[in-house]
Amino acid sequence: MMKFKEVFPPTAYSEAIADKITYARDGSEFEGIVKAVVYPTTREQIINLLMLGKSEKLHFTIRGAGTNTLGSCVPANSVVVDLSRMNKIIEITTDSVTVEPGVILGDLLKELKKKGLFFPIKPLEYNVCSIGGLVAMNSFGLDIRYGRVEKWIEELEVIDGNNKKLKVSGAQLKDFVGMEGTTGIIYSIKLKLLSAPLPKTISIFKFNTITALMDKYNFVSNNKHVISVYFLDEFCSSFLELGNSLLLIVEYDNDNGVLKSEEEIANLDLFMERLQHLLINKKYVSKEDPFIPLENIPQFIQWLRKNAIPCYGYMHLGIFHPCFREASPLNTELYNVVKVLKGLVPGEYGIGIKRKQFLSDSKLSRIKSNYDPSKVFNRGVLID
């Protein structure tokens, strides 16, 4: 038995075999080894835990809701720090909200709606994902025009691997946002809010050929009022009962779009959310997110068609989401295709254990050395 009772009450730590099995995995296919699981509820407990870790030579895997599909919170013979009990909404003002990392996004959105406020980053898993997880992965929402969550963070409060308490804002946010728990434990998050969603109108264009689709994209992308362009292939449009065509869904910040009413736009947004569930129901359980340069998008779509791979994506960002059935060899082949097309494998979702082989960033090592020189956080994720 480790000395966790010096830091936590009996209900806030576990070395039970059942818990070790449960916490050995996240939402990915990877499995690790758990020494123990702890459930802090205060900043002071985290500080004392790290002091204990130093004396006992422990290291830690930081975990939110455990929905990550890349292995970003798979333990490496480590103590799992489950932040789900740090779930308080600390303060809501007219333009910001401060929360603990374990707050579930869906719960936060409900509270904000009661007060006539709006937080724009809403991924598919919003009803189960934690705010801390959003920050750790620097997530996009379903509405890509709002950017990543980093754009909506005003301040973080963090305890780093040196056991220092830090208030982080501005340029320093990049040392923690999207770092997948490797530089510190975030215990307080202040987010920026809007009073309502930004206005938009939408047009949908259908195509039978890749050439016609690309011609239309090149035309609309020169319109300064276009804020985003979504792509759906024939499979996805068919799943949504929108015909069997290639689609571009173009969003405007003025009234150029055909769909103008809030109800029509809300229904289309629900369609995009429904697509994610339809793909999963049809056993397309693995989703990638490569970046493809504009000039090579036609070749990429041809490869998808040839191999009957459903795909949707964000034409204006060059990020696509090909979807694969479990254990499909095409998933591995994708990486070679992306390399040939001069693309990048991690375009949107992060790195984790699954994609660490594609990471070669000396800057990342310098950041890690600054905040966590002893590598007590998330070993094996991004950096061994």
Side-chain angles (χ1 to χ4, degrees):
M1 179 73 69
M2 298 181 194
K3 299 179 180 179
F4 296 117
K5 63 182 179 181
E6 298 177 6
V7 179
F8 299 101
T11 56
Y13 67 89
S14 174
E15 295 177 80
I17 292 175
D19 288 325
K20 288 183 178 182
I21 292 172
T22 299
Y23 283 88
R25 301 186 68 165
D26 54 11
S28 72
E29 68 270 31
F30 300 100
E31 186 170 347
I33 299 173
V34 180
K35 277 187 175 291
V37 184
V38 297
Y39 308 89
T41 56
T42 67
R43 177 187 66 184
E44 288 71 25
Q45 285 180 343
I46 295 172
I47 292 170
N48 291 333
L49 175 65
L50 295 185
M51 290 174 63
L52 174 64
K54 186 174 183 179
S55 65
E56 297 291 311
K57 297 183 179 180
L58 301 172
H59 58 100
F60 305 96
T61 296
I62 318 305
R63 181 183 175 109
T67 58
N68 184 271
T69 60
L70 298 171
S72 295
C73 46
V74 170
N77 198 23
S78 51
V79 176
V80 175
V81 183
D82 182 340
L83 298 175
S84 64
R85 297 184 188 178
M86 297 188 72
N87 58 4
K88 296 183 182 68
I89 298 175
I90 299 168
E91 182 183 28
I92 300 176
T93 70
T94 56
D95 60 1
S96 70
V97 59
T98 303
V99 300
E100 291 182 330
V103 171
I104 298 300
L105 177 57
D107 296 336
L108 176 61
L109 296 179
K110 290 175 186 175
E111 289 302 310
L112 294 176
K113 188 174 182 180
K114 292 176 186 176
K115 298 180 180 294
L117 296 168
F118 176 72
F119 179 66
I121 307 301
K122 182 183 174 183
L124 172 66
E125 303 85 359
Y126 69 94
N127 274 324
V128 293
C129 70
S130 67
I131 304 296
L134 283 183
V135 174
M137 301 307 295
N138 196 15
S139 299
F140 282 101
L142 290 170
D143 194 336
I144 206 79
R145 64 187 167 142
Y146 293 107
R148 294 183 183 271
V149 74
E150 65 184 353
K151 182 179 176 181
W152 299 92
I153 298 173
E154 190 166 317
E155 184 180 80
L156 300 175
E157 293 187 59
V158 182
I159 299 169
D160 71 6
N162 301 306
N163 216 347
K164 290 182 180 178
K165 294 176 286 186
L166 305 172
K167 282 195 173 184
V168 180
S169 60
Q172 193 181 9
L173 287 170
K174 289 187 177 294
D175 294 348
F176 297 92
V177 180
M179 292 295 289
E180 304 188 21
T182 59
T183 52
I185 299 178
I186 299 167
Y187 63 88
S188 178
I189 302 163
K190 187 174 184 180
L191 300 168
K192 304 170 189 175
L193 301 176
L194 295 172
S195 57
L198 299 173
K200 65 180 179 182
T201 61
I202 297 174
S203 289
I204 301 175
F205 302 97
K206 295 185 177 184
F207 309 92
N208 293 322
T209 68
I210 298 172
T211 300
L213 178 136
M214 294 305 301
D215 287 345
K216 186 65 175 181
Y217 173 74
N218 290 329
F219 177 76
V220 300
S221 63
N222 289 320
N223 184 334
K224 66 179 181 180
H225 293 290
V226 169
I227 51 179
S228 62
V229 182
Y230 295 87
F231 163 80
L232 274 70
D233 72 357
E234 296 96 332
F235 287 100
C236 293
S237 59
S238 177
F239 294 161
L240 288 170
E241 300 178 356
L242 297 174
N244 190 29
S245 303
L246 299 168
L247 297 184
L248 290 182
I249 300 173
V250 182
E251 296 186 341
Y252 304 86
D253 64 6
N254 63 0
D255 62 355
N256 281 1
V258 173
L259 304 180
K260 302 181 190 297
S261 75
E262 290 184 11
E263 183 179 358
E264 288 177 314
I265 291 169
N267 285 338
L268 188 59
D269 287 344
L270 287 174
F271 251 53
M272 297 301 291
E273 188 173 328
R274 181 172 167 242
L275 174 61
Q276 324 292 317
H277 296 289
L278 286 169
L279 286 162
I280 291 171
N281 288 341
K282 292 179 183 296
K283 309 302 182 185
Y284 292 100
V285 295
S286 178
K287 182 171 61 174
E288 297 288 346
D289 62 330
F291 164 80
I292 306 295
L294 178 62
E295 64 273 17
N296 293 329
I297 288 175
Q299 292 171 259
F300 184 62
I301 297 175
Q302 287 170 356
W303 179 77
L304 295 168
R305 276 180 155 182
K306 176 185 174 183
N307 292 285
I309 300 168
C311 183
Y312 66 97
Y314 311 106
M315 288 284 287
H316 61 297
L317 299 178
I319 295 175
F320 292 84
H321 294 306
C323 302
F324 303 90
R325 292 198 161 104
E326 189 172 4
S328 169
L330 291 169
N331 201 336
T332 302
E333 184 180 328
L334 168 74
Y335 297 154
N336 294 326
V337 171
V338 171
K339 184 177 180 180
V340 169
L341 296 179
K342 298 180 172 57
L344 299 172
V345 170
E348 179 181 351
Y349 292 140
I351 305 295
I353 294 172
K354 185 174 183 178
R355 297 167 168 176
K356 189 170 59 173
Q357 60 180 307
F358 301 105
L359 188 66
S360 57
D361 191 346
S362 58
K363 181 182 177 182
L364 182 65
S365 297
R366 290 196 299 272
I367 294 171
K368 177 74 169 176
S369 298
N370 187 30
Y371 295 106
D372 185 24
S374 298
K375 298 183 179 179
V376 297
F377 296 134
N378 284 25
R379 286 187 188 176
V381 176
L382 304 188
I383 296 176
D384 291 324

